[in-house]
Each structure stands twice: as structure tokens, then as C-alpha cells.
Amino acid sequence: MRHQRTAVKRETSRISRLSIVLALSASALLSIAGPAGAAAIPDYQAALDAVKSPAVREAVCRFLSVPVPEGGSRTPLKVPEKADPCEGLPTFTIKDPVALNEITAGFVAGTAQPIATEAIKLSYLVSSLNVAVNGRNVTVMLGATQGGGWHLAAVRDGDSDTTYAGKATLGTLVFTEPQLRAWYQLKLTTVAPLNDQAKEGLDGKSSVSLSDYQKLVRARYADKLPGSDYDSKGLSSGYGTARESADASSSTPLIVGGASAALALAGGAFVLRRFRLRRRRDSTA
């Protein structure tokens, strides 16, 4: 009997220590996330330089110069060819970028521990405009450049991604489940929904533990990860990142020809051609 009581105490102590480690691991990540997540973003000055660069500004102006097609039109559109792409557009600035975090494939597969450092990854940086331009706002997406730094990955209509990503505060982390367009807030080991899609993703609950959330996403996607039978048979796009989700709607893009760069319009998003080529290279590497 004494031996059993001792074993129980040891197990209880072990579980308690594990809980503390999990909480501290989450706390460590969340504490550096900050209001804008700048401290958790590598080479943040390079990201600032990128979004403030003339090249990114001109890409945004070209995007805004072409109206969004109505009624699913697939008629090719032309970017107005102007020496200054921003000529005639209202003045705007691009906000400082914030982190777009996503759940990791390991977390979905169940091979990663339900702690923030293993469950969540930084996928992109996103920025929006300080004001709507002709009734439109956009999201500027920055991708990490191999070897360091950041480059323009895409310009998309709308600013919801930036709005949700910007809700991170000191002690919390915001992340997305891109397959559902769901946004969540993580505080220590508690996951709470930020939009209706996230509420649905949590089966209507106001919050769940990160461990329980892992069980939910594992049930949804574990058998649909890249390399699975579900994926290889082409039954669906399967599990993917925001980059893949953004590009998934571009199977029938509207090609927009410009003087200096070709842009693709798909599902309300312009995607730089080099971004699409980069994805193809990544997928065949």
C-alpha cells in the first residue's frame, strides 16, 4: 500500500512538473510576441524596409489600379501603364508588418507536443494600408527570403488577415487554421476563437485547451497531410499553409500584363509571378 501511495505521489509530481514546463514554454513564446509580435520576428528591420520600399508601394498601386472583376469574370485585364503607378491614387502608407502564425504539420499529425513553440509557426508577415483607397484595402504579404530578410510574396484584397493577426497582445499569441479561415488566440495553453469559423472549429465552445484543440485538428487533417493517400489521390487540396491556401484559388487566374511585372488575379488576390514560380520550385525540391 505504501509503495502504491509513493508511486501515485511520484506520478502526480511528474504530471505537475510537466504542466509547469508546458505553461512556461508557452509563456516564453507569448511573452516575446508583444502587441505587434516584432520581437518574435527575425530580421524585423528588413521587414520594415521591405514594406516601405518603392517596389512594394508600386506593386500595391498597380493592384489598386485594376478593379476587382464582377460576377466571376475571367476576362483578362490590363494594368494601366504609367511611369508612376501611384499617379492619381489617394495618398496612403503601408502599416508596419505583423506576424501571420499558423498551426504546424507536426501539431496536426500529433507528433509535436501541445505547446506553443511546437504547435505554432511563423509563416508570413502581413501589412495593410492606413486608409482605404477608393473604398478598398489590401493585405501585403511578405515571405522569408532564403539566407535572411523578407520579400514581397503577394498583394491581396481585404485586410482581415492583418486585422486578426494584429490582435496579439503581451501574453497572447494569435494564429490561424487556414483551411477554415479560422482565427484563434492562445493564452498559455488555452485556445479561444476570434471569429465565427473558429467557433465552429472548436465545436461551439468558448475555449479549449491546446491539447484538446490538437485532437480536433488531428481528427480533421491528420489523414490529409502531404504524402497521405488522401493527398496523393488528389481527393482534395489536403492540409496546407496559408501560401498554399491563397494559391489554391488561382487555378483559373486572370493574368494582368504590366510594363514591369506580371500579376495574377485570383479570388480577389494578386500574386506575383515570381511567388508562384517559387512555390513550384519548393514543391519539386
Side-chain angles (χ1 to χ4, degrees):
M1 182 67 71
R2 180 179 298 177
H3 176 73
Q4 290 178 338
R5 286 198 298 267
T6 302
V8 169
K9 288 180 180 179
R10 286 176 178 173
E11 180 64 16
T12 302
S13 177
R14 187 189 69 81
I15 293 174
S16 178
R17 288 196 302 272
L18 178 60
S19 299
I20 292 173
V21 169
L22 294 179
L24 289 177
S25 297
S27 238
L29 179 61
L30 299 178
S31 65
I32 62 174
I41 296 173
D43 207 353
Y44 190 67
Q45 185 57 52
L48 288 173
D49 293 342
V51 296
K52 307 299 181 183
S53 68
V56 169
R57 183 177 182 83
E58 288 180 6
V60 171
C61 288
R62 288 192 178 93
F63 175 87
L64 292 169
S65 296
V66 180
V68 177
E70 296 181 0
S73 172
R74 294 175 58 183
T75 304
L77 302 175
K78 292 289 185 179
V79 174
E81 297 190 16
K82 299 183 292 186
D84 179 5
C86 299
E87 180 184 356
L89 291 176
T91 301
F92 67 87
T93 59
I94 303 174
K95 296 179 182 179
D96 293 350
V98 294
L100 191 160
N101 299 302
E102 298 176 328
I103 51 177
T104 66
F107 180 72
V108 171
T111 58
Q113 293 296 317
I115 57 176
T117 50
E118 294 190 30
I120 310 300
K121 66 176 181 179
L122 172 64
S123 293
Y124 287 93
L125 303 184
V126 289
S127 306
S128 59
L129 308 184
N130 67 319
V131 294
V133 175
N134 295 335
R136 294 168 65 187
N137 210 319
V138 303
T139 293
V140 175
M141 299 181 70
L142 299 181
T145 301
Q146 187 174 4
W150 298 87
H151 63 272
L152 178 62
V155 180
R156 297 165 38 174
D157 253 314
D159 60 353
S160 61
D161 285 354
T162 308
T163 299
Y164 283 116
K167 290 183 180 295
T169 61
L170 186 62
T172 69
L173 182 68
V174 169
F175 67 94
T176 182
E177 182 184 334
Q179 298 75 23
L180 299 182
R181 296 294 296 167
W183 285 90
Y184 305 90
Q185 186 176 62
L186 175 64
K187 185 172 183 180
L188 294 179
T189 58
T190 300
V191 178
L194 291 178
N195 62 0
D196 290 340
Q197 293 90 327
K199 291 177 183 177
E200 182 179 348
L202 298 185
D203 292 337
K205 297 178 181 178
S206 59
S207 66
V208 300
S209 69
L210 187 57
S211 179
D212 285 343
Y213 174 67
Q214 183 177 32
K215 294 175 184 176
L216 291 171
V217 295
R218 186 178 182 184
R220 284 198 280 269
Y221 312 120
D223 61 345
K224 301 174 181 65
L225 289 166
S228 65
D229 288 342
Y230 189 89
D231 177 46
S232 61
K233 291 178 181 178
L235 297 175
S236 174
S237 58
Y239 173 85
T241 64
R243 174 175 62 180
E244 293 164 338
S245 298
D247 196 55
S249 62
S250 62
S251 57
T252 55
L254 294 173
I255 303 302
V256 184
S260 60
L263 304 175
L265 173 62
F270 276 110
V271 182
L272 291 179
R273 176 173 291 173
R274 67 177 180 178
F275 169 62
R276 292 170 57 80
L277 293 176
R278 177 187 177 91
R279 179 175 181 268
R280 293 194 186 103
R281 287 198 299 269
D282 290 346
S283 64
T284 57

Short mmCIF file of all heavy atoms in Angstrom, two decimals, residues 237-277:
data_model
loop_
_atom_site.label_atom_id
_atom_site.label_comp_id
_atom_site.label_asym_id
_atom_site.label_seq_id
_atom_site.Cartn_x
_atom_site.Cartn_y
_atom_site.Cartn_z
N SER A 237 -7.36 19.33 -51.82
CA SER A 237 -6.09 20.04 -51.68
C SER A 237 -5.37 19.61 -50.41
O SER A 237 -4.20 19.90 -50.22
CB SER A 237 -6.34 21.56 -51.64
OG SER A 237 -7.20 21.88 -50.57
N GLY A 238 -6.09 18.90 -49.51
CA GLY A 238 -5.46 18.41 -48.30
C GLY A 238 -5.09 19.52 -47.35
O GLY A 238 -5.60 20.62 -47.41
N TYR A 239 -4.16 19.19 -46.46
CA TYR A 239 -3.72 20.18 -45.48
C TYR A 239 -2.62 21.03 -46.11
O TYR A 239 -1.76 20.52 -46.80
CB TYR A 239 -3.17 19.48 -44.23
CG TYR A 239 -2.53 20.43 -43.25
CD1 TYR A 239 -3.31 21.09 -42.31
CD2 TYR A 239 -1.17 20.70 -43.30
CE1 TYR A 239 -2.75 21.98 -41.43
CE2 TYR A 239 -0.60 21.60 -42.43
CZ TYR A 239 -1.38 22.23 -41.49
OH TYR A 239 -0.81 23.12 -40.63
N GLY A 240 -2.66 22.33 -45.89
CA GLY A 240 -1.62 23.19 -46.43
C GLY A 240 -1.48 24.45 -45.63
O GLY A 240 -2.21 24.70 -44.68
N THR A 241 -0.53 25.28 -46.02
CA THR A 241 -0.27 26.53 -45.33
C THR A 241 -1.08 27.65 -45.96
O THR A 241 -1.78 27.46 -46.95
CB THR A 241 1.21 26.89 -45.43
OG1 THR A 241 1.53 27.11 -46.81
CG2 THR A 241 2.09 25.78 -44.89
N ALA A 242 -0.96 28.84 -45.39
CA ALA A 242 -1.67 29.99 -45.94
C ALA A 242 -1.23 30.27 -47.37
O ALA A 242 -2.02 30.66 -48.22
CB ALA A 242 -1.44 31.22 -45.07
N ARG A 243 0.06 30.04 -47.66
CA ARG A 243 0.54 30.26 -49.01
C ARG A 243 -0.18 29.33 -49.97
O ARG A 243 -0.63 29.75 -51.04
CB ARG A 243 2.05 29.99 -49.08
CG ARG A 243 2.59 30.06 -50.51
CD ARG A 243 4.09 29.92 -50.56
NE ARG A 243 4.54 28.63 -50.05
CZ ARG A 243 5.82 28.28 -49.99
NH1 ARG A 243 6.76 29.12 -50.34
NH2 ARG A 243 6.17 27.09 -49.52
N GLU A 244 -0.32 28.03 -49.57
CA GLU A 244 -0.98 27.08 -50.43
C GLU A 244 -2.46 27.38 -50.54
O GLU A 244 -3.06 27.24 -51.60
CB GLU A 244 -0.75 25.67 -49.90
CG GLU A 244 0.72 25.25 -50.00
CD GLU A 244 1.04 24.05 -49.15
OE1 GLU A 244 0.29 23.81 -48.18
OE2 GLU A 244 2.04 23.37 -49.41
N SER A 245 -3.07 27.82 -49.43
CA SER A 245 -4.49 28.13 -49.45
C SER A 245 -4.76 29.34 -50.31
O SER A 245 -5.74 29.40 -51.05
CB SER A 245 -4.99 28.40 -48.01
OG SER A 245 -4.83 27.25 -47.22
N ALA A 246 -3.88 30.34 -50.23
CA ALA A 246 -4.04 31.53 -51.05
C ALA A 246 -3.89 31.20 -52.51
O ALA A 246 -4.57 31.75 -53.37
CB ALA A 246 -3.02 32.59 -50.63
N ASP A 247 -2.99 30.27 -52.82
CA ASP A 247 -2.73 29.94 -54.20
C ASP A 247 -3.72 28.92 -54.75
O ASP A 247 -3.86 28.76 -55.95
CB ASP A 247 -1.30 29.38 -54.33
CG ASP A 247 -0.82 29.38 -55.77
OD1 ASP A 247 -0.86 30.45 -56.39
OD2 ASP A 247 -0.43 28.31 -56.26
N ALA A 248 -4.44 28.23 -53.85
CA ALA A 248 -5.34 27.18 -54.29
C ALA A 248 -6.45 27.73 -55.17
O ALA A 248 -6.96 27.04 -56.05
CB ALA A 248 -5.96 26.48 -53.07
N SER A 249 -6.83 29.01 -54.96
CA SER A 249 -7.90 29.60 -55.74
C SER A 249 -7.42 30.11 -57.08
O SER A 249 -8.20 30.66 -57.84
CB SER A 249 -8.55 30.74 -54.95
OG SER A 249 -7.59 31.74 -54.70
N SER A 250 -6.14 29.94 -57.37
CA SER A 250 -5.58 30.54 -58.58
C SER A 250 -5.48 29.55 -59.73
O SER A 250 -4.69 29.74 -60.64
CB SER A 250 -4.19 31.11 -58.27
OG SER A 250 -3.31 30.09 -57.86
N SER A 251 -6.27 28.48 -59.72
CA SER A 251 -6.20 27.52 -60.81
C SER A 251 -6.73 28.11 -62.11
O SER A 251 -6.38 27.66 -63.19
CB SER A 251 -6.99 26.26 -60.44
OG SER A 251 -8.32 26.59 -60.14
N THR A 252 -7.60 29.12 -62.01
CA THR A 252 -8.09 29.79 -63.20
C THR A 252 -7.86 31.29 -63.04
O THR A 252 -8.80 32.07 -62.93
CB THR A 252 -9.59 29.51 -63.42
OG1 THR A 252 -10.32 29.89 -62.23
CG2 THR A 252 -9.84 28.05 -63.70
N PRO A 253 -6.61 31.72 -63.02
CA PRO A 253 -6.32 33.12 -62.75
C PRO A 253 -6.60 34.03 -63.93
O PRO A 253 -6.65 33.58 -65.08
CB PRO A 253 -4.82 33.10 -62.44
CG PRO A 253 -4.31 31.97 -63.28
CD PRO A 253 -5.40 30.94 -63.25
N LEU A 254 -6.79 35.29 -63.63
CA LEU A 254 -6.84 36.32 -64.65
C LEU A 254 -5.45 36.93 -64.72
O LEU A 254 -4.96 37.46 -63.73
CB LEU A 254 -7.87 37.40 -64.28
CG LEU A 254 -9.33 36.93 -64.26
CD1 LEU A 254 -10.22 38.04 -63.73
CD2 LEU A 254 -9.78 36.54 -65.66
N ILE A 255 -4.82 36.82 -65.85
CA ILE A 255 -3.47 37.33 -65.99
C ILE A 255 -3.52 38.81 -66.32
O ILE A 255 -4.24 39.25 -67.22
CB ILE A 255 -2.70 36.57 -67.08
CG1 ILE A 255 -2.70 35.08 -66.75
CG2 ILE A 255 -1.28 37.08 -67.21
CD1 ILE A 255 -2.08 34.75 -65.41
N VAL A 256 -2.73 39.58 -65.60
CA VAL A 256 -2.69 41.02 -65.79
C VAL A 256 -1.31 41.40 -66.26
O VAL A 256 -0.33 41.18 -65.55
CB VAL A 256 -3.02 41.76 -64.47
CG1 VAL A 256 -3.07 43.25 -64.69
CG2 VAL A 256 -4.35 41.26 -63.93
N GLY A 257 -1.21 41.95 -67.45
CA GLY A 257 0.10 42.31 -68.00
C GLY A 257 0.44 43.75 -67.67
O GLY A 257 -0.39 44.64 -67.84
N GLY A 258 1.66 43.97 -67.21
CA GLY A 258 2.10 45.32 -66.89
C GLY A 258 3.43 45.61 -67.54
O GLY A 258 4.04 44.75 -68.17
N ALA A 259 3.90 46.83 -67.41
CA ALA A 259 5.14 47.23 -68.05
C ALA A 259 6.35 46.56 -67.42
O ALA A 259 7.31 46.24 -68.10
CB ALA A 259 5.29 48.76 -67.97
N SER A 260 6.30 46.33 -66.09
CA SER A 260 7.50 45.81 -65.43
C SER A 260 7.30 44.48 -64.73
O SER A 260 8.25 43.81 -64.40
CB SER A 260 8.00 46.83 -64.39
OG SER A 260 7.00 47.05 -63.42
N ALA A 261 6.05 44.09 -64.46
CA ALA A 261 5.83 42.83 -63.75
C ALA A 261 4.47 42.27 -64.11
O ALA A 261 3.53 43.00 -64.39
CB ALA A 261 5.90 43.06 -62.24
N ALA A 262 4.38 40.95 -64.17
CA ALA A 262 3.10 40.30 -64.45
C ALA A 262 2.48 39.89 -63.13
O ALA A 262 3.13 39.35 -62.26
CB ALA A 262 3.32 39.08 -65.33
N LEU A 263 1.20 40.16 -63.00
CA LEU A 263 0.48 39.82 -61.78
C LEU A 263 -0.65 38.88 -62.13
O LEU A 263 -1.21 38.92 -63.23
CB LEU A 263 -0.09 41.08 -61.12
CG LEU A 263 0.92 42.19 -60.78
CD1 LEU A 263 0.18 43.40 -60.24
CD2 LEU A 263 1.89 41.69 -59.74
N ALA A 264 -1.02 38.03 -61.20
CA ALA A 264 -2.14 37.12 -61.43
C ALA A 264 -3.25 37.46 -60.46
O ALA A 264 -3.01 37.61 -59.26
CB ALA A 264 -1.69 35.68 -61.22
N LEU A 265 -4.46 37.59 -60.95
CA LEU A 265 -5.61 37.89 -60.12
C LEU A 265 -6.43 36.63 -59.95
O LEU A 265 -6.84 36.03 -60.93
CB LEU A 265 -6.47 38.98 -60.77
CG LEU A 265 -7.80 39.30 -60.10
CD1 LEU A 265 -7.56 39.83 -58.70
CD2 LEU A 265 -8.58 40.30 -60.90
N ALA A 266 -6.66 36.24 -58.70
CA ALA A 266 -7.44 35.03 -58.45
C ALA A 266 -8.11 35.13 -57.11
O ALA A 266 -7.46 35.29 -56.10
CB ALA A 266 -6.53 33.81 -58.48
N GLY A 267 -9.43 35.01 -57.10
CA GLY A 267 -10.16 35.06 -55.84
C GLY A 267 -9.91 36.34 -55.08
O GLY A 267 -9.84 36.35 -53.86
N GLY A 268 -9.77 37.45 -55.79
CA GLY A 268 -9.53 38.73 -55.14
C GLY A 268 -8.09 38.92 -54.71
O GLY A 268 -7.82 39.76 -53.88
N ALA A 269 -7.16 38.15 -55.24
CA ALA A 269 -5.76 38.29 -54.82
C ALA A 269 -4.85 38.40 -56.02
O ALA A 269 -4.98 37.68 -56.99
CB ALA A 269 -5.34 37.08 -53.99
N PHE A 270 -3.93 39.35 -55.98
CA PHE A 270 -2.85 39.42 -56.93
C PHE A 270 -1.69 38.64 -56.35
O PHE A 270 -1.34 38.82 -55.19
CB PHE A 270 -2.38 40.86 -57.14
CG PHE A 270 -3.18 41.63 -58.14
CD1 PHE A 270 -4.01 42.65 -57.74
CD2 PHE A 270 -3.09 41.32 -59.47
CE1 PHE A 270 -4.74 43.37 -58.65
CE2 PHE A 270 -3.82 42.04 -60.40
CZ PHE A 270 -4.66 43.07 -59.99
N VAL A 271 -1.09 37.81 -57.11
CA VAL A 271 0.07 37.06 -56.65
C VAL A 271 1.20 37.30 -57.63
O VAL A 271 1.02 37.10 -58.83
CB VAL A 271 -0.23 35.54 -56.58
CG1 VAL A 271 0.99 34.79 -56.05
CG2 VAL A 271 -1.42 35.28 -55.68
N LEU A 272 2.33 37.74 -57.15
CA LEU A 272 3.45 37.98 -58.05
C LEU A 272 3.86 36.69 -58.72
O LEU A 272 3.92 35.63 -58.09
CB LEU A 272 4.63 38.56 -57.26
CG LEU A 272 4.43 39.98 -56.74
CD1 LEU A 272 5.67 40.41 -55.98
CD2 LEU A 272 4.18 40.94 -57.88
N ARG A 273 4.18 36.79 -60.02
CA ARG A 273 4.55 35.60 -60.77
C ARG A 273 5.75 34.90 -60.14
O ARG A 273 5.80 33.68 -60.05
CB ARG A 273 4.86 35.98 -62.22
CG ARG A 273 5.35 34.80 -63.06
CD ARG A 273 5.50 35.17 -64.51
NE ARG A 273 4.19 35.39 -65.12
CZ ARG A 273 4.05 35.87 -66.36
NH1 ARG A 273 5.11 36.18 -67.08
NH2 ARG A 273 2.84 36.05 -66.87
N ARG A 274 6.71 35.67 -59.66
CA ARG A 274 7.89 35.03 -59.06
C ARG A 274 7.51 34.25 -57.81
O ARG A 274 8.13 33.25 -57.46
CB ARG A 274 8.97 36.06 -58.74
CG ARG A 274 8.58 37.04 -57.63
CD ARG A 274 9.73 37.97 -57.34
NE ARG A 274 9.40 38.91 -56.29
CZ ARG A 274 10.25 39.82 -55.81
NH1 ARG A 274 11.46 39.90 -56.31
NH2 ARG A 274 9.89 40.65 -54.86
N PHE A 275 6.43 34.70 -57.13
CA PHE A 275 5.95 33.98 -55.95
C PHE A 275 5.38 32.62 -56.35
O PHE A 275 5.62 31.61 -55.72
CB PHE A 275 4.89 34.83 -55.26
CG PHE A 275 4.12 34.13 -54.18
CD1 PHE A 275 4.75 33.64 -53.05
CD2 PHE A 275 2.76 33.99 -54.29
CE1 PHE A 275 4.03 33.01 -52.06
CE2 PHE A 275 2.03 33.36 -53.31
CZ PHE A 275 2.67 32.86 -52.20
N ARG A 276 4.64 32.60 -57.47
CA ARG A 276 4.07 31.35 -57.95
C ARG A 276 5.17 30.40 -58.41
O ARG A 276 5.12 29.20 -58.15
CB ARG A 276 3.09 31.62 -59.09
CG ARG A 276 1.83 32.37 -58.63
CD ARG A 276 0.99 32.82 -59.81
NE ARG A 276 0.62 31.70 -60.65
CZ ARG A 276 -0.37 30.87 -60.37
NH1 ARG A 276 -1.07 31.01 -59.26
NH2 ARG A 276 -0.67 29.88 -61.19
N LEU A 277 6.18 30.94 -59.10
CA LEU A 277 7.28 30.11 -59.56
C LEU A 277 8.08 29.57 -58.38
O LEU A 277 8.53 28.43 -58.39
CB LEU A 277 8.20 30.92 -60.48
CG LEU A 277 7.58 31.32 -61.84
CD1 LEU A 277 8.56 32.21 -62.60
CD2 LEU A 277 7.22 30.10 -62.66
#
